[in-house]
Every structure is written in C-alpha cells, then in structure tokens.
C-alpha cells in the first residue's frame, strides 16, 4: 500500500463548477498536509497547507483534513479555466522541531476546467 | 523573497554521457535543499537532500549523485546516464526555524536518447 494515494483523474469540469480533489494516507505520524498546483512544464506551486483536522479557507480554495479517517481534500469553488493544472497532495512526516521533514506526494490529479 | 534558479530548462543527452544540473537559490541563507524527480504522470520522488554545505543524504540508490559546494548551490550529477534517468528534475528549498513548506524551482526536463 502506498503511503499516499490520490485519485488520479483526469477530471474535466465546466467553468463555475465545484471541484473536489482527494487523497488518503496510511501513516498516522503524518503531521502537515499540503496542496500544490503544477502547471505544464513548471514546478509545483504551494497552494495551501495545514496541520490540524478541519477546514482552512483561502479565497476559492478550501483544504479539509480528517485525521481520524486519514483523508484530505481540496475544494475549488467557482472553478476557472486558469485552474486547469495538475494538483498534488503532499504530506509531511516528522517535522519534529528540526528543519528537515520528508514530504510524500500523491501521484497528482489532472484537472481541466472548460469554458 | 526566495528564488530558485534551475538550468537548463530542457536537456537532451545521449545514453552514457555525463550530467550536471545546477540549482541556485537567492533570498535566504542556510536552506535545506532537495532534488526530486518526476516521471510522466507520476508524483515526485525524493532523490537527495542537504541540510548544509557538503552534507548530502540519498533517499534511493541510483545512478546519480549530488553535491553542495556552497550554501546556496546544489548540483545533481551523473557520470554515465541511463535511459531510465529521463524525467523532470526539480530542486526545492525549505527554510526557517518553524516549519514552512518546500518551494520548488521550475525544473529541468531531461530526455535521454
């Protein structure tokens, strides 16, 4: 079993739709939960991160973490064609007060928002 | 603000040739630096990380090596490339005494012929 599993998609939605992207993880020691957006031929760009269960909102984006179910989600409201990209979940283990922590990535979900 | 420079952006190399990819960072000091590889349609695989000059840790055994000759320079190398070394190579940095997520450069796309 992979440490982080991400729905691979691809996902195609009309402009204005609500998008739900999901990951599950197996290691309860995971501490920080990130979502990155990656445009074609570019490096991943950090969208949001959180360390606690619950919701965190930033504009049209909401990150949700359920540690009891080991499940994380990213919701995009009022999706735009500019949101078309690959979305990667990433989970950090053992931040532990040191500056090094290992990120484990999902395999990414390709999202297309068509006008 | 922190900036990560990677070059070249694209590289085509024959099998058996050497490799040197460079990553330099600006706007910070004493960062943790990382090399990742991303295969097509896949997530990111951590290759190497460095917490300081001359300090390199390898995550997976492979045909590649890394060096950190200066605080803000991280180099990925190979003496003889294999077909399986093709991929998108990304450099990332992490800074701060409290946790801040890694930031990535724009990568080098390496094709081996």
């Amino acid at each position: 079993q992979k440490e982080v599993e991400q729905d691979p998609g691809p996902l195609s939605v009309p402009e204005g739709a609500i998008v739900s992207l999901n990951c599950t993880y197996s290691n309860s020691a995971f501490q920080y939960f990130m979502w990155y957006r990656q445009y074609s031929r570019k490096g991943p760009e950090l969208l949001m991160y959180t360390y606690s269960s619950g919701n965190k909102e930033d504009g049209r984006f909401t990150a949700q973490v359920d540690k009891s179910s080991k499940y994380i989600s990213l919701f995009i409201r009022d999706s735009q064609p500019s949101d078309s990209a690959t979305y990667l979940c990433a989970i950090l283990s053992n931040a532990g007060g040191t500056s090094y922590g290992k990120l484990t990535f999902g395999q990414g979900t390709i999202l297309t928002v068509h006008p | 603000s922190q900036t990560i420079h990677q070059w070249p952006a694209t590289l085509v190399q024959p099998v058996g040739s050497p490799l040197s990819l460079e990553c330099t960072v600006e706007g910070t000091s004493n960062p943790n630096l990382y090399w990742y590889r991303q295969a097509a349609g896949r997530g990111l695989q951590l290759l190497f990380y460095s917490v300081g000059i001359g300090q390199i840790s390898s995550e997976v055994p492979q045909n590649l090596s890394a060096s950190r000759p200066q605080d803000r320079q991280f180099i990925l190398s190979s003496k003889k490339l294999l077909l399986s070394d093709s991929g998108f190579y990304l450099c990332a940095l992490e800074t701060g005494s409290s946790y801040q997520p890694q930031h990535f450069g724009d990568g080098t796309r390496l094709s081996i012929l």
Side-chain angles (χ1 to χ4, degrees), chain A residues 1-7 21-27 30 33 35 66 69-73 89-91 104-107:
Chain A
Q1 182 188 8
K2 290 182 184 176
E3 285 192 295
V4 180
E5 298 267 10
Q6 182 172 359
D7 294 344
L21 304 164
N22 307 294
C23 290
T24 58
Y25 62 94
S26 58
N27 187 346
F30 285 140
F33 307 90
W35 285 97
D66 183 344
S69 302
K70 299 190 182 69
Y71 194 86
I72 67 170
S73 299
C89 63
I91 306 181
T104 302
F105 284 84
Q107 62 265 50

mmCIF file of all heavy atoms in Angstrom, chain A residues 1-7 21-27 30 33 35 66 69-73 89-91 104-107:
data_model
loop_
_atom_site.group_PDB
_atom_site.id
_atom_site.type_symbol
_atom_site.label_atom_id
_atom_site.label_comp_id
_atom_site.label_asym_id
_atom_site.label_seq_id
_atom_site.Cartn_x
_atom_site.Cartn_y
_atom_site.Cartn_z
ATOM 1 N N GLN A 1 0.850 -1.201 0.000
ATOM 2 C CA GLN A 1 0.000 0.000 0.000
ATOM 3 C C GLN A 1 0.880 1.244 0.000
ATOM 4 O O GLN A 1 1.813 1.358 0.784
ATOM 5 C CB GLN A 1 -0.902 0.011 1.232
ATOM 6 C CG GLN A 1 -1.854 1.182 1.285
ATOM 7 C CD GLN A 1 -2.585 1.243 2.621
ATOM 8 O OE1 GLN A 1 -2.269 0.510 3.544
ATOM 9 N NE2 GLN A 1 -3.548 2.140 2.726
ATOM 10 N N LYS A 2 0.572 2.182 -0.925
ATOM 11 C CA LYS A 2 1.325 3.419 -0.956
ATOM 12 C C LYS A 2 0.995 4.241 0.278
ATOM 13 O O LYS A 2 -0.114 4.194 0.792
ATOM 14 C CB LYS A 2 0.953 4.203 -2.216
ATOM 15 C CG LYS A 2 1.450 3.570 -3.499
ATOM 16 C CD LYS A 2 1.079 4.439 -4.684
ATOM 17 C CE LYS A 2 1.490 3.778 -5.981
ATOM 18 N NZ LYS A 2 1.054 4.581 -7.154
ATOM 19 N N GLU A 3 1.980 5.055 0.701
ATOM 20 C CA GLU A 3 1.754 5.893 1.879
ATOM 21 C C GLU A 3 0.707 6.956 1.611
ATOM 22 O O GLU A 3 -0.034 7.351 2.508
ATOM 23 C CB GLU A 3 3.058 6.538 2.318
ATOM 24 C CG GLU A 3 4.005 5.586 3.024
ATOM 25 C CD GLU A 3 5.146 6.326 3.686
ATOM 26 O OE1 GLU A 3 5.958 6.925 2.955
ATOM 27 O OE2 GLU A 3 5.227 6.307 4.922
ATOM 28 N N VAL A 4 0.670 7.467 0.390
ATOM 29 C CA VAL A 4 -0.299 8.487 -0.001
ATOM 30 C C VAL A 4 -0.936 8.072 -1.316
ATOM 31 O O VAL A 4 -0.234 7.824 -2.298
ATOM 32 C CB VAL A 4 0.361 9.870 -0.172
ATOM 33 C CG1 VAL A 4 -0.676 10.905 -0.586
ATOM 34 C CG2 VAL A 4 1.050 10.292 1.115
ATOM 35 N N GLU A 5 -2.251 7.982 -1.330
ATOM 36 C CA GLU A 5 -2.981 7.628 -2.541
ATOM 37 C C GLU A 5 -3.835 8.814 -2.958
ATOM 38 O O GLU A 5 -4.560 9.376 -2.133
ATOM 39 C CB GLU A 5 -3.891 6.423 -2.289
ATOM 40 C CG GLU A 5 -3.163 5.162 -1.909
ATOM 41 C CD GLU A 5 -2.858 4.288 -3.116
ATOM 42 O OE1 GLU A 5 -3.049 4.745 -4.268
ATOM 43 O OE2 GLU A 5 -2.431 3.141 -2.906
ATOM 44 N N GLN A 6 -3.755 9.163 -4.229
ATOM 45 C CA GLN A 6 -4.528 10.297 -4.729
ATOM 46 C C GLN A 6 -5.366 9.847 -5.901
ATOM 47 O O GLN A 6 -4.881 9.121 -6.779
ATOM 48 C CB GLN A 6 -3.583 11.432 -5.155
ATOM 49 C CG GLN A 6 -4.283 12.681 -5.636
ATOM 50 C CD GLN A 6 -3.345 13.850 -5.861
ATOM 51 O OE1 GLN A 6 -2.140 13.749 -5.648
ATOM 52 N NE2 GLN A 6 -3.883 14.968 -6.295
ATOM 53 N N ASP A 7 -6.633 10.267 -5.924
ATOM 54 C CA ASP A 7 -7.482 9.972 -7.080
ATOM 55 C C ASP A 7 -6.788 10.513 -8.333
ATOM 56 O O ASP A 7 -6.537 11.704 -8.432
ATOM 57 C CB ASP A 7 -8.851 10.668 -6.931
ATOM 58 C CG ASP A 7 -9.661 10.117 -5.782
ATOM 59 O OD1 ASP A 7 -9.323 9.016 -5.295
ATOM 60 O OD2 ASP A 7 -10.623 10.787 -5.372
ATOM 61 N N LEU A 21 -10.917 17.409 -4.842
ATOM 62 C CA LEU A 21 -9.725 16.598 -5.061
ATOM 63 C C LEU A 21 -9.385 15.912 -3.742
ATOM 64 O O LEU A 21 -9.462 16.536 -2.677
ATOM 65 C CB LEU A 21 -8.558 17.487 -5.510
ATOM 66 C CG LEU A 21 -8.838 18.324 -6.763
ATOM 67 C CD1 LEU A 21 -7.814 19.427 -6.913
ATOM 68 C CD2 LEU A 21 -8.856 17.445 -7.999
ATOM 69 N N ASN A 22 -9.006 14.637 -3.816
ATOM 70 C CA ASN A 22 -8.909 13.854 -2.587
ATOM 71 C C ASN A 22 -7.646 13.011 -2.513
ATOM 72 O O ASN A 22 -7.147 12.528 -3.531
ATOM 73 C CB ASN A 22 -10.121 12.914 -2.490
ATOM 74 C CG ASN A 22 -11.426 13.660 -2.645
ATOM 75 O OD1 ASN A 22 -11.792 14.478 -1.815
ATOM 76 N ND2 ASN A 22 -12.119 13.398 -3.747
ATOM 77 N N CYS A 23 -7.175 12.820 -1.283
ATOM 78 C CA CYS A 23 -6.052 11.928 -1.005
ATOM 79 C C CYS A 23 -6.324 11.173 0.287
ATOM 80 O O CYS A 23 -6.961 11.705 1.202
ATOM 81 C CB CYS A 23 -4.744 12.698 -0.847
ATOM 82 S SG CYS A 23 -4.114 13.410 -2.368
ATOM 83 N N THR A 24 -5.827 9.942 0.347
ATOM 84 C CA THR A 24 -5.830 9.190 1.591
ATOM 85 C C THR A 24 -4.392 8.850 1.940
ATOM 86 O O THR A 24 -3.523 8.783 1.069
ATOM 87 C CB THR A 24 -6.656 7.898 1.474
ATOM 88 O OG1 THR A 24 -6.107 7.093 0.409
ATOM 89 C CG2 THR A 24 -8.109 8.193 1.183
ATOM 90 N N TYR A 25 -4.140 8.663 3.211
ATOM 91 C CA TYR A 25 -2.793 8.321 3.644
ATOM 92 C C TYR A 25 -2.865 7.231 4.692
ATOM 93 O O TYR A 25 -3.897 6.996 5.312
ATOM 94 C CB TYR A 25 -2.041 9.558 4.156
ATOM 95 C CG TYR A 25 -2.647 10.227 5.366
ATOM 96 C CD1 TYR A 25 -2.218 9.920 6.643
ATOM 97 C CD2 TYR A 25 -3.660 11.181 5.219
ATOM 98 C CE1 TYR A 25 -2.761 10.539 7.755
ATOM 99 C CE2 TYR A 25 -4.221 11.808 6.328
ATOM 100 C CZ TYR A 25 -3.758 11.485 7.591
ATOM 101 O OH TYR A 25 -4.308 12.099 8.688
ATOM 102 N N SER A 26 -1.745 6.566 4.897
ATOM 103 C CA SER A 26 -1.756 5.398 5.774
ATOM 104 C C SER A 26 -1.018 5.613 7.086
ATOM 105 O O SER A 26 -1.292 4.929 8.068
ATOM 106 C CB SER A 26 -1.142 4.195 5.043
ATOM 107 O OG SER A 26 0.180 4.494 4.625
ATOM 108 N N ASN A 27 -0.101 6.587 7.136
ATOM 109 C CA ASN A 27 0.758 6.754 8.301
ATOM 110 C C ASN A 27 0.194 7.816 9.236
ATOM 111 O O ASN A 27 0.133 8.991 8.891
ATOM 112 C CB ASN A 27 2.154 7.156 7.826
ATOM 113 C CG ASN A 27 3.170 7.192 8.954
ATOM 114 O OD1 ASN A 27 2.803 7.175 10.130
ATOM 115 N ND2 ASN A 27 4.434 7.257 8.601
ATOM 116 N N PHE A 30 1.934 11.273 10.106
ATOM 117 C CA PHE A 30 1.969 12.439 9.235
ATOM 118 C C PHE A 30 1.432 13.670 9.965
ATOM 119 O O PHE A 30 0.434 13.577 10.681
ATOM 120 C CB PHE A 30 1.151 12.196 7.963
ATOM 121 C CG PHE A 30 1.828 11.302 6.975
ATOM 122 C CD1 PHE A 30 1.093 10.363 6.284
ATOM 123 C CD2 PHE A 30 3.174 11.406 6.707
ATOM 124 C CE1 PHE A 30 1.700 9.531 5.344
ATOM 125 C CE2 PHE A 30 3.790 10.585 5.783
ATOM 126 C CZ PHE A 30 3.045 9.643 5.097
ATOM 127 N N PHE A 33 -0.032 18.848 6.029
ATOM 128 C CA PHE A 33 -0.752 18.432 4.821
ATOM 129 C C PHE A 33 -0.758 19.593 3.843
ATOM 130 O O PHE A 33 -1.204 20.693 4.179
ATOM 131 C CB PHE A 33 -2.176 18.014 5.185
ATOM 132 C CG PHE A 33 -2.221 16.991 6.282
ATOM 133 C CD1 PHE A 33 -2.281 17.383 7.616
ATOM 134 C CD2 PHE A 33 -2.171 15.640 5.989
ATOM 135 C CE1 PHE A 33 -2.289 16.441 8.636
ATOM 136 C CE2 PHE A 33 -2.185 14.692 6.996
ATOM 137 C CZ PHE A 33 -2.244 15.088 8.319
ATOM 138 N N TRP A 35 -1.194 21.118 -0.317
ATOM 139 C CA TRP A 35 -1.668 21.009 -1.691
ATOM 140 C C TRP A 35 -0.815 21.917 -2.573
ATOM 141 O O TRP A 35 -0.622 23.103 -2.265
ATOM 142 C CB TRP A 35 -3.140 21.406 -1.816
ATOM 143 C CG TRP A 35 -4.065 20.355 -1.296
ATOM 144 C CD1 TRP A 35 -4.639 20.292 -0.054
ATOM 145 C CD2 TRP A 35 -4.516 19.187 -1.998
ATOM 146 N NE1 TRP A 35 -5.413 19.167 0.061
ATOM 147 C CE2 TRP A 35 -5.363 18.471 -1.115
ATOM 148 C CE3 TRP A 35 -4.300 18.676 -3.278
ATOM 149 C CZ2 TRP A 35 -5.993 17.276 -1.484
ATOM 150 C CZ3 TRP A 35 -4.928 17.498 -3.634
ATOM 151 C CH2 TRP A 35 -5.763 16.811 -2.748
ATOM 152 N N ASP A 66 -9.141 15.269 7.661
ATOM 153 C CA ASP A 66 -9.807 14.399 8.630
ATOM 154 C C ASP A 66 -8.784 13.360 9.078
ATOM 155 O O ASP A 66 -8.571 12.355 8.402
ATOM 156 C CB ASP A 66 -11.033 13.734 7.990
ATOM 157 C CG ASP A 66 -11.806 12.861 8.981
ATOM 158 O OD1 ASP A 66 -11.254 12.530 10.060
ATOM 159 O OD2 ASP A 66 -12.943 12.501 8.682
ATOM 160 N N SER A 69 -9.953 9.672 9.737
ATOM 161 C CA SER A 69 -10.149 8.846 8.539
ATOM 162 C C SER A 69 -8.915 8.819 7.650
ATOM 163 O O SER A 69 -8.919 8.121 6.631
ATOM 164 C CB SER A 69 -11.339 9.372 7.721
ATOM 165 O OG SER A 69 -12.514 9.378 8.491
ATOM 166 N N LYS A 70 -7.901 9.612 7.991
ATOM 167 C CA LYS A 70 -6.684 9.728 7.182
ATOM 168 C C LYS A 70 -7.052 10.138 5.759
ATOM 169 O O LYS A 70 -6.672 9.470 4.773
ATOM 170 C CB LYS A 70 -5.881 8.434 7.194
ATOM 171 C CG LYS A 70 -5.399 8.008 8.578
ATOM 172 C CD LYS A 70 -4.411 6.858 8.465
ATOM 173 C CE LYS A 70 -3.945 6.370 9.815
ATOM 174 N NZ LYS A 70 -4.971 5.689 10.596
ATOM 175 N N TYR A 71 -7.762 11.248 5.679
ATOM 176 C CA TYR A 71 -8.338 11.683 4.407
ATOM 177 C C TYR A 71 -8.166 13.184 4.310
ATOM 178 O O TYR A 71 -8.465 13.911 5.260
ATOM 179 C CB TYR A 71 -9.827 11.316 4.415
ATOM 180 C CG TYR A 71 -10.527 11.389 3.092
ATOM 181 C CD1 TYR A 71 -10.511 10.309 2.219
ATOM 182 C CD2 TYR A 71 -11.246 12.522 2.726
ATOM 183 C CE1 TYR A 71 -11.184 10.361 1.016
ATOM 184 C CE2 TYR A 71 -11.918 12.582 1.521
ATOM 185 C CZ TYR A 71 -11.886 11.485 0.675
ATOM 186 O OH TYR A 71 -12.562 11.539 -0.527
ATOM 187 N N ILE A 72 -7.663 13.661 3.148
ATOM 188 C CA ILE A 72 -7.571 15.104 2.939
ATOM 189 C C ILE A 72 -8.206 15.457 1.607
ATOM 190 O O ILE A 72 -8.214 14.632 0.669
ATOM 191 C CB ILE A 72 -6.113 15.618 3.001
ATOM 192 C CG1 ILE A 72 -5.273 15.084 1.831
ATOM 193 C CG2 ILE A 72 -5.463 15.247 4.326
ATOM 194 C CD1 ILE A 72 -3.913 15.759 1.743
ATOM 195 N N SER A 73 -8.748 16.653 1.553
ATOM 196 C CA SER A 73 -9.434 17.112 0.345
ATOM 197 C C SER A 73 -9.081 18.560 0.061
ATOM 198 O O SER A 73 -8.746 19.325 0.973
ATOM 199 C CB SER A 73 -10.956 17.010 0.518
ATOM 200 O OG SER A 73 -11.364 15.688 0.731
ATOM 201 N N CYS A 89 -1.261 16.393 -3.775
ATOM 202 C CA CYS A 89 -1.257 16.459 -2.321
ATOM 203 C C CYS A 89 0.129 16.017 -1.840
ATOM 204 O O CYS A 89 0.817 15.246 -2.511
ATOM 205 C CB CYS A 89 -2.348 15.589 -1.708
ATOM 206 S SG CYS A 89 -2.203 13.823 -2.028
ATOM 207 N N ALA A 90 0.527 16.543 -0.707
ATOM 208 C CA ALA A 90 1.825 16.186 -0.140
ATOM 209 C C ALA A 90 1.686 16.186 1.371
ATOM 210 O O ALA A 90 1.029 17.058 1.941
ATOM 211 C CB ALA A 90 2.906 17.158 -0.578
ATOM 212 N N ILE A 91 2.287 15.212 1.983
ATOM 213 C CA ILE A 91 2.138 15.058 3.423
ATOM 214 C C ILE A 91 3.512 14.938 4.051
ATOM 215 O O ILE A 91 4.382 14.232 3.549
ATOM 216 C CB ILE A 91 1.254 13.842 3.749
ATOM 217 C CG1 ILE A 91 -0.072 13.962 2.994
ATOM 218 C CG2 ILE A 91 1.003 13.755 5.246
ATOM 219 C CD1 ILE A 91 -1.050 12.857 3.216
ATOM 220 N N THR A 104 5.928 13.323 1.335
ATOM 221 C CA THR A 104 5.468 12.217 0.495
ATOM 222 C C THR A 104 4.329 12.742 -0.362
ATOM 223 O O THR A 104 3.359 13.295 0.167
ATOM 224 C CB THR A 104 4.996 11.030 1.355
ATOM 225 O OG1 THR A 104 6.064 10.611 2.203
ATOM 226 C CG2 THR A 104 4.586 9.858 0.467
ATOM 227 N N PHE A 105 4.447 12.565 -1.678
ATOM 228 C CA PHE A 105 3.486 13.129 -2.616
ATOM 229 C C PHE A 105 2.517 12.079 -3.128
ATOM 230 O O PHE A 105 2.876 10.908 -3.308
ATOM 231 C CB PHE A 105 4.213 13.717 -3.831
ATOM 232 C CG PHE A 105 4.874 15.032 -3.560
ATOM 233 C CD1 PHE A 105 6.131 15.096 -2.987
ATOM 234 C CD2 PHE A 105 4.230 16.220 -3.877
ATOM 235 C CE1 PHE A 105 6.741 16.312 -2.733
ATOM 236 C CE2 PHE A 105 4.825 17.439 -3.626
ATOM 237 C CZ PHE A 105 6.087 17.482 -3.050
ATOM 238 N N GLY A 106 1.286 12.504 -3.381
ATOM 239 C CA GLY A 106 0.376 11.725 -4.198
ATOM 240 C C GLY A 106 0.816 11.812 -5.654
ATOM 241 O O GLY A 106 1.692 12.606 -6.011
ATOM 242 N N GLN A 107 0.180 10.992 -6.507
ATOM 243 C CA GLN A 107 0.630 10.953 -7.900
ATOM 244 C C GLN A 107 0.049 12.071 -8.745
ATOM 245 O O GLN A 107 0.417 12.232 -9.905
ATOM 246 C CB GLN A 107 0.318 9.583 -8.544
ATOM 247 C CG GLN A 107 -1.158 9.245 -8.610
ATOM 248 C CD GLN A 107 -1.593 8.394 -7.435
ATOM 249 O OE1 GLN A 107 -1.318 8.696 -6.283
ATOM 250 N NE2 GLN A 107 -2.320 7.318 -7.726
#
